[in-house]
Amino acid sequence: MEPRAHLLGLGLACALGPTLEDSLATLRSGAPSVGRVRLADLDEPLDSAYFRISDGAEPFDPTRLSHLLPPVIEAALNAARLSTSTRRMMPIFVGSSSFAIAQSEHHYAHALRHRPEHAMAMPDAGFGSVADFAARIAGSDAQTRSWHTACTSAANALLAAQRLLAAGHAQHVLVLGVELANRTSLGGFQALQLLADAVRPFDARRAGIVLGEGIGAIVMGRARGNSPWHLADGATNSDLHGVTGAHPEGRVLAAVQQQALQRAGCRAADVRAIKAHATGTPANDTAEARAMHALFLPKLPPLCTLKPWLGHTLGACGVVELALFAAALRDGFIPATPAGTQPDPALDVHPLTSVLPARPGSYLLNQFGFGGNNTSLVLEVD
Amino acid sequence: MHAHCLARGHYLEAVHDDGLPVLAAALKAACRTPPRRVDRFIQLALLGSARCVGTRTLDTDCGLYLASALGPLASNIRVQQDLLANHVLPRPFDFIHTLGGSAGFYVASNLGLHGPNQFLGGDHALADAMATALADLAAGVVRQALVGVVEEAPLPLAAQRQRLQVAADATLAEGSHWWLLATPSSDATAPIFHLQRHTGAHNLVAQLDALEADAVPVWLDTSLPLDLAHVLRQRFAQAANARPTALPYHASGAAAWLGDLQTREPATRALVIDRHYLLRCGA
């Protein structure tokens, strides 16, 4: 049998709940819960809508990763039923936009308050601390790699893990998507004037993104076990139109979806549903809509958007959204977009407004990022 | 996993507190599209990649695999200073440049590349980038892979030495080290890059025994366990003595060492050994 990248264990903490099960229950029958976060120490304080993991901590508390990451990883590892020796040989791949930047911000702010003459910006530079911490939690002594390709980071980590497994270079890989509140992301997206008060993908009123926190963990393995899903394949490409946005005609976005389907041995007509990137920005949704129409003529498959539930978890969204979407399919439903949509007639894209029964088959997941980085994944449900 | 190396590009310059080396003329000479409104990290990436590729026409779906231990540090510093010291929003381009994909975007734009564009961050930048690129080559995702490692040395250097936890008198460098790899069938005369995983001392020693490479120049990475590093230093004592003179320091020493060695001795064989990988280069 052809080696596959089976999803053996999932773990999640996000704005919908502290566990995957809690998140699924809210996704099926609850309502999204968006809060707010402030950058109060700016000359012009920023107060923004924000999807937080509800843990009772201060939003920029640098120790949050240390208590939020372990239970997510343990949930995924326990579901995968990996032995200690298997864990030790399991590579760990991480995707994130911000990694441990909140810790660096905290240490710099502390120095500015207490020893300003010695304060040094970016005192904790580098990317490896999240992967190193994850390795200690998981008991892994194998390689770690960290992807930093903006909003496709975790999706690219998943794709690399799938190829590592397919080539037989590992039996299992733990893939993480990690994004927690930090001043850099909030201030940066505010500076770009991309923040909005609500996420409204493909909606006539869409005005931008709402940031969100998420930690996702997926154990992938070559042997199927009891897994109902596998990551069939995917593709990633570059759109050279601009560093912050895809070409509005969506040709490169259509190409990456087409390549993903080809590599997975799947026809567009066979796609059961699409989990769209669907940020709710005018530019992204326009390009993604045109790309999907070009690929799926004459009619789009059912379309799911998760950012109205989670916010935009940036570099983590590839793993966070795959974990939630796959779990929903396992539980028999394709998630709906929260009520109150007004589809933009110019886009002619209509996200599901009520859940649909999920059936076996192929599901396409899109992730697009700054730097012209686009990644599409194909999930097969047996 | 292995591939042929079709071309190399190497930039490594010591940095001093009186100002970073001026790159404008070199960038203008090397780049097909002169860069505008880009930061130092992107300039370094553009310069090294352009020197590697030269006038060669690449496949448009050539993959780009850029890695760095510290990434676009100067832009991150400016963003953090704006937010926390100056209490203002960061400048938009500073924030955009902090994102890992930005440097790859400008390199891809300069060279007309539409294929995979990966940025990996971490202390084993060379091995991470090579492993990811070679996996894509082996899987047939790409036929060419442009692999780069870039490190900045933002001023003041005292702060950078503190970040790197090196001696107060250490000579720091900025670097941009690139290799153009291709599937083995495309140029049978090109030198080979071969990457093997190892699973610890016993396995690694067996691999090295098979290679008969004890006189080959070797980079022993600081990630190696102390006991294994000690064994390897003894084994490669002769080769270690033949190492090039001390290079100015940046956080991806393996890439700087290999780039420098191959620039001075293009035909030489070389080994890079870290905690997980054995990278063989040369004929």
mmCIF file with all atom_site columns, all heavy atoms in Angstrom, chain A residues 168-183:
data_model
loop_
_atom_site.group_PDB
_atom_site.id
_atom_site.type_symbol
_atom_site.label_atom_id
_atom_site.label_alt_id
_atom_site.label_comp_id
_atom_site.label_asym_id
_atom_site.label_entity_id
_atom_site.label_seq_id
_atom_site.pdbx_PDB_ins_code
_atom_site.Cartn_x
_atom_site.Cartn_y
_atom_site.Cartn_z
_atom_site.occupancy
_atom_site.B_iso_or_equiv
_atom_site.pdbx_formal_charge
_atom_site.auth_seq_id
_atom_site.auth_comp_id
_atom_site.auth_asym_id
_atom_site.auth_atom_id
_atom_site.pdbx_PDB_model_num
ATOM 1   N N   . GLY A 1 168 ? 9.525  7.835  3.758  1.00 0.00 ? 168 GLY A N   1
ATOM 2   C CA  . GLY A 1 168 ? 9.966  6.828  4.712  1.00 0.00 ? 168 GLY A CA  1
ATOM 3   C C   . GLY A 1 168 ? 11.076 7.297  5.632  1.00 0.00 ? 168 GLY A C   1
ATOM 4   O O   . GLY A 1 168 ? 11.743 6.484  6.269  1.00 0.00 ? 168 GLY A O   1
ATOM 5   N N   . HIS A 1 169 ? 11.280 8.606  5.732  1.00 0.00 ? 169 HIS A N   1
ATOM 6   C CA  . HIS A 1 169 ? 12.342 9.127  6.585  1.00 0.00 ? 169 HIS A CA  1
ATOM 7   C C   . HIS A 1 169 ? 11.908 9.289  8.033  1.00 0.00 ? 169 HIS A C   1
ATOM 8   O O   . HIS A 1 169 ? 12.716 9.687  8.885  1.00 0.00 ? 169 HIS A O   1
ATOM 9   C CB  . HIS A 1 169 ? 12.858 10.446 6.032  1.00 0.00 ? 169 HIS A CB  1
ATOM 10  C CG  . HIS A 1 169 ? 13.571 10.278 4.721  1.00 0.00 ? 169 HIS A CG  1
ATOM 11  N ND1 . HIS A 1 169 ? 13.589 11.224 3.744  1.00 0.00 ? 169 HIS A ND1 1
ATOM 12  C CD2 . HIS A 1 169 ? 14.266 9.227  4.215  1.00 0.00 ? 169 HIS A CD2 1
ATOM 13  C CE1 . HIS A 1 169 ? 14.283 10.784 2.697  1.00 0.00 ? 169 HIS A CE1 1
ATOM 14  N NE2 . HIS A 1 169 ? 14.697 9.579  2.968  1.00 0.00 ? 169 HIS A NE2 1
ATOM 15  N N   . ALA A 1 170 ? 10.656 9.074  8.312  1.00 0.00 ? 170 ALA A N   1
ATOM 16  C CA  . ALA A 1 170 ? 10.153 9.065  9.691  1.00 0.00 ? 170 ALA A CA  1
ATOM 17  C C   . ALA A 1 170 ? 8.883  8.226  9.696  1.00 0.00 ? 170 ALA A C   1
ATOM 18  O O   . ALA A 1 170 ? 8.222  8.065  8.660  1.00 0.00 ? 170 ALA A O   1
ATOM 19  C CB  . ALA A 1 170 ? 9.863  10.484 10.178 1.00 0.00 ? 170 ALA A CB  1
ATOM 20  N N   . GLN A 1 171 ? 8.556  7.693  10.866 1.00 0.00 ? 171 GLN A N   1
ATOM 21  C CA  . GLN A 1 171 ? 7.309  6.940  11.017 1.00 0.00 ? 171 GLN A CA  1
ATOM 22  C C   . GLN A 1 171 ? 6.195  7.834  11.544 1.00 0.00 ? 171 GLN A C   1
ATOM 23  O O   . GLN A 1 171 ? 5.020  7.608  11.261 1.00 0.00 ? 171 GLN A O   1
ATOM 24  C CB  . GLN A 1 171 ? 7.526  5.765  11.979 1.00 0.00 ? 171 GLN A CB  1
ATOM 25  C CG  . GLN A 1 171 ? 8.507  4.727  11.453 1.00 0.00 ? 171 GLN A CG  1
ATOM 26  C CD  . GLN A 1 171 ? 8.089  4.142  10.122 1.00 0.00 ? 171 GLN A CD  1
ATOM 27  O OE1 . GLN A 1 171 ? 6.939  3.727  9.962  1.00 0.00 ? 171 GLN A OE1 1
ATOM 28  N NE2 . GLN A 1 171 ? 9.001  4.122  9.160  1.00 0.00 ? 171 GLN A NE2 1
ATOM 29  N N   . HIS A 1 172 ? 6.570  8.833  12.305 1.00 0.00 ? 172 HIS A N   1
ATOM 30  C CA  . HIS A 1 172 ? 5.610  9.789  12.859 1.00 0.00 ? 172 HIS A CA  1
ATOM 31  C C   . HIS A 1 172 ? 6.230  11.178 12.843 1.00 0.00 ? 172 HIS A C   1
ATOM 32  O O   . HIS A 1 172 ? 7.454  11.310 12.980 1.00 0.00 ? 172 HIS A O   1
ATOM 33  C CB  . HIS A 1 172 ? 5.234  9.442  14.303 1.00 0.00 ? 172 HIS A CB  1
ATOM 34  C CG  . HIS A 1 172 ? 4.621  8.089  14.455 1.00 0.00 ? 172 HIS A CG  1
ATOM 35  N ND1 . HIS A 1 172 ? 5.372  6.956  14.673 1.00 0.00 ? 172 HIS A ND1 1
ATOM 36  C CD2 . HIS A 1 172 ? 3.319  7.691  14.404 1.00 0.00 ? 172 HIS A CD2 1
ATOM 37  C CE1 . HIS A 1 172 ? 4.567  5.914  14.747 1.00 0.00 ? 172 HIS A CE1 1
ATOM 38  N NE2 . HIS A 1 172 ? 3.323  6.319  14.588 1.00 0.00 ? 172 HIS A NE2 1
ATOM 39  N N   . VAL A 1 173 ? 5.408  12.187 12.728 1.00 0.00 ? 173 VAL A N   1
ATOM 40  C CA  . VAL A 1 173 ? 5.845  13.577 12.874 1.00 0.00 ? 173 VAL A CA  1
ATOM 41  C C   . VAL A 1 173 ? 4.780  14.311 13.690 1.00 0.00 ? 173 VAL A C   1
ATOM 42  O O   . VAL A 1 173 ? 3.578  14.118 13.460 1.00 0.00 ? 173 VAL A O   1
ATOM 43  C CB  . VAL A 1 173 ? 6.005  14.291 11.510 1.00 0.00 ? 173 VAL A CB  1
ATOM 44  C CG1 . VAL A 1 173 ? 6.558  15.707 11.711 1.00 0.00 ? 173 VAL A CG1 1
ATOM 45  C CG2 . VAL A 1 173 ? 6.913  13.506 10.574 1.00 0.00 ? 173 VAL A CG2 1
ATOM 46  N N   . LEU A 1 174 ? 5.228  15.116 14.634 1.00 0.00 ? 174 LEU A N   1
ATOM 47  C CA  . LEU A 1 174 ? 4.317  16.006 15.357 1.00 0.00 ? 174 LEU A CA  1
ATOM 48  C C   . LEU A 1 174 ? 4.412  17.385 14.716 1.00 0.00 ? 174 LEU A C   1
ATOM 49  O O   . LEU A 1 174 ? 5.501  17.965 14.656 1.00 0.00 ? 174 LEU A O   1
ATOM 50  C CB  . LEU A 1 174 ? 4.712  16.087 16.841 1.00 0.00 ? 174 LEU A CB  1
ATOM 51  C CG  . LEU A 1 174 ? 3.958  17.120 17.689 1.00 0.00 ? 174 LEU A CG  1
ATOM 52  C CD1 . LEU A 1 174 ? 2.464  16.827 17.746 1.00 0.00 ? 174 LEU A CD1 1
ATOM 53  C CD2 . LEU A 1 174 ? 4.550  17.180 19.097 1.00 0.00 ? 174 LEU A CD2 1
ATOM 54  N N   . VAL A 1 175 ? 3.275  17.895 14.235 1.00 0.00 ? 175 VAL A N   1
ATOM 55  C CA  . VAL A 1 175 ? 3.256  19.212 13.592 1.00 0.00 ? 175 VAL A CA  1
ATOM 56  C C   . VAL A 1 175 ? 2.439  20.165 14.469 1.00 0.00 ? 175 VAL A C   1
ATOM 57  O O   . VAL A 1 175 ? 1.303  19.843 14.847 1.00 0.00 ? 175 VAL A O   1
ATOM 58  C CB  . VAL A 1 175 ? 2.652  19.148 12.181 1.00 0.00 ? 175 VAL A CB  1
ATOM 59  C CG1 . VAL A 1 175 ? 2.822  20.493 11.476 1.00 0.00 ? 175 VAL A CG1 1
ATOM 60  C CG2 . VAL A 1 175 ? 3.308  18.043 11.363 1.00 0.00 ? 175 VAL A CG2 1
ATOM 61  N N   . LEU A 1 176 ? 3.019  21.313 14.744 1.00 0.00 ? 176 LEU A N   1
ATOM 62  C CA  . LEU A 1 176 ? 2.379  22.297 15.620 1.00 0.00 ? 176 LEU A CA  1
ATOM 63  C C   . LEU A 1 176 ? 2.140  23.607 14.882 1.00 0.00 ? 176 LEU A C   1
ATOM 64  O O   . LEU A 1 176 ? 2.973  24.031 14.074 1.00 0.00 ? 176 LEU A O   1
ATOM 65  C CB  . LEU A 1 176 ? 3.272  22.594 16.830 1.00 0.00 ? 176 LEU A CB  1
ATOM 66  C CG  . LEU A 1 176 ? 3.670  21.421 17.719 1.00 0.00 ? 176 LEU A CG  1
ATOM 67  C CD1 . LEU A 1 176 ? 4.690  21.877 18.758 1.00 0.00 ? 176 LEU A CD1 1
ATOM 68  C CD2 . LEU A 1 176 ? 2.443  20.833 18.402 1.00 0.00 ? 176 LEU A CD2 1
ATOM 69  N N   . GLY A 1 177 ? 1.029  24.233 15.209 1.00 0.00 ? 177 GLY A N   1
ATOM 70  C CA  . GLY A 1 177 ? 0.789  25.622 14.826 1.00 0.00 ? 177 GLY A CA  1
ATOM 71  C C   . GLY A 1 177 ? 0.608  26.417 16.105 1.00 0.00 ? 177 GLY A C   1
ATOM 72  O O   . GLY A 1 177 ? -0.197 26.021 16.959 1.00 0.00 ? 177 GLY A O   1
ATOM 73  N N   . VAL A 1 178 ? 1.362  27.488 16.257 1.00 0.00 ? 178 VAL A N   1
ATOM 74  C CA  . VAL A 1 178 ? 1.358  28.227 17.522 1.00 0.00 ? 178 VAL A CA  1
ATOM 75  C C   . VAL A 1 178 ? 1.247  29.721 17.249 1.00 0.00 ? 178 VAL A C   1
ATOM 76  O O   . VAL A 1 178 ? 2.066  30.292 16.522 1.00 0.00 ? 178 VAL A O   1
ATOM 77  C CB  . VAL A 1 178 ? 2.656  27.946 18.320 1.00 0.00 ? 178 VAL A CB  1
ATOM 78  C CG1 . VAL A 1 178 ? 2.685  28.775 19.601 1.00 0.00 ? 178 VAL A CG1 1
ATOM 79  C CG2 . VAL A 1 178 ? 2.772  26.459 18.657 1.00 0.00 ? 178 VAL A CG2 1
ATOM 80  N N   . GLU A 1 179 ? 0.246  30.348 17.826 1.00 0.00 ? 179 GLU A N   1
ATOM 81  C CA  . GLU A 1 179 ? 0.116  31.804 17.715 1.00 0.00 ? 179 GLU A CA  1
ATOM 82  C C   . GLU A 1 179 ? -0.561 32.332 18.973 1.00 0.00 ? 179 GLU A C   1
ATOM 83  O O   . GLU A 1 179 ? -1.710 31.987 19.262 1.00 0.00 ? 179 GLU A O   1
ATOM 84  C CB  . GLU A 1 179 ? -0.715 32.157 16.472 1.00 0.00 ? 179 GLU A CB  1
ATOM 85  C CG  . GLU A 1 179 ? -0.396 33.512 15.901 1.00 0.00 ? 179 GLU A CG  1
ATOM 86  C CD  . GLU A 1 179 ? 0.980  33.556 15.233 1.00 0.00 ? 179 GLU A CD  1
ATOM 87  O OE1 . GLU A 1 179 ? 1.394  32.563 14.626 1.00 0.00 ? 179 GLU A OE1 1
ATOM 88  O OE2 . GLU A 1 179 ? 1.636  34.609 15.341 1.00 0.00 ? 179 GLU A OE2 1
ATOM 89  N N   . LEU A 1 180 ? 0.137  33.129 19.733 1.00 0.00 ? 180 LEU A N   1
ATOM 90  C CA  . LEU A 1 180 ? -0.428 33.755 20.927 1.00 0.00 ? 180 LEU A CA  1
ATOM 91  C C   . LEU A 1 180 ? -0.300 35.268 20.810 1.00 0.00 ? 180 LEU A C   1
ATOM 92  O O   . LEU A 1 180 ? 0.514  35.780 20.038 1.00 0.00 ? 180 LEU A O   1
ATOM 93  C CB  . LEU A 1 180 ? 0.307  33.256 22.179 1.00 0.00 ? 180 LEU A CB  1
ATOM 94  C CG  . LEU A 1 180 ? 0.100  31.773 22.517 1.00 0.00 ? 180 LEU A CG  1
ATOM 95  C CD1 . LEU A 1 180 ? 0.931  31.377 23.725 1.00 0.00 ? 180 LEU A CD1 1
ATOM 96  C CD2 . LEU A 1 180 ? -1.379 31.466 22.768 1.00 0.00 ? 180 LEU A CD2 1
ATOM 97  N N   . ALA A 1 181 ? -1.112 35.968 21.623 1.00 0.00 ? 181 ALA A N   1
ATOM 98  C CA  . ALA A 1 181 ? -1.167 37.430 21.532 1.00 0.00 ? 181 ALA A CA  1
ATOM 99  C C   . ALA A 1 181 ? 0.213  38.041 21.735 1.00 0.00 ? 181 ALA A C   1
ATOM 100 O O   . ALA A 1 181 ? 0.969  37.620 22.610 1.00 0.00 ? 181 ALA A O   1
ATOM 101 C CB  . ALA A 1 181 ? -2.130 37.974 22.579 1.00 0.00 ? 181 ALA A CB  1
ATOM 102 N N   . ASN A 1 182 ? 0.501  39.022 20.910 1.00 0.00 ? 182 ASN A N   1
ATOM 103 C CA  . ASN A 1 182 ? 1.750  39.768 21.056 1.00 0.00 ? 182 ASN A CA  1
ATOM 104 C C   . ASN A 1 182 ? 1.572  41.150 20.460 1.00 0.00 ? 182 ASN A C   1
ATOM 105 O O   . ASN A 1 182 ? 0.694  41.370 19.616 1.00 0.00 ? 182 ASN A O   1
ATOM 106 C CB  . ASN A 1 182 ? 2.913  39.024 20.375 1.00 0.00 ? 182 ASN A CB  1
ATOM 107 C CG  . ASN A 1 182 ? 2.701  38.870 18.892 1.00 0.00 ? 182 ASN A CG  1
ATOM 108 O OD1 . ASN A 1 182 ? 3.064  39.758 18.121 1.00 0.00 ? 182 ASN A OD1 1
ATOM 109 N ND2 . ASN A 1 182 ? 2.084  37.781 18.460 1.00 0.00 ? 182 ASN A ND2 1
ATOM 110 N N   . ARG A 1 183 ? 2.381  42.070 20.925 1.00 0.00 ? 183 ARG A N   1
ATOM 111 C CA  . ARG A 1 183 ? 2.251  43.467 20.495 1.00 0.00 ? 183 ARG A CA  1
ATOM 112 C C   . ARG A 1 183 ? 2.676  43.660 19.042 1.00 0.00 ? 183 ARG A C   1
ATOM 113 O O   . ARG A 1 183 ? 2.139  44.503 18.331 1.00 0.00 ? 183 ARG A O   1
ATOM 114 C CB  . ARG A 1 183 ? 3.102  44.352 21.400 1.00 0.00 ? 183 ARG A CB  1
ATOM 115 C CG  . ARG A 1 183 ? 2.607  44.431 22.834 1.00 0.00 ? 183 ARG A CG  1
ATOM 116 C CD  . ARG A 1 183 ? 3.608  45.204 23.695 1.00 0.00 ? 183 ARG A CD  1
ATOM 117 N NE  . ARG A 1 183 ? 3.114  45.487 25.031 1.00 0.00 ? 183 ARG A NE  1
ATOM 118 C CZ  . ARG A 1 183 ? 3.205  44.637 26.053 1.00 0.00 ? 183 ARG A CZ  1
ATOM 119 N NH1 . ARG A 1 183 ? 3.774  43.462 25.882 1.00 0.00 ? 183 ARG A NH1 1
ATOM 120 N NH2 . ARG A 1 183 ? 2.747  44.972 27.244 1.00 0.00 ? 183 ARG A NH2 1
#
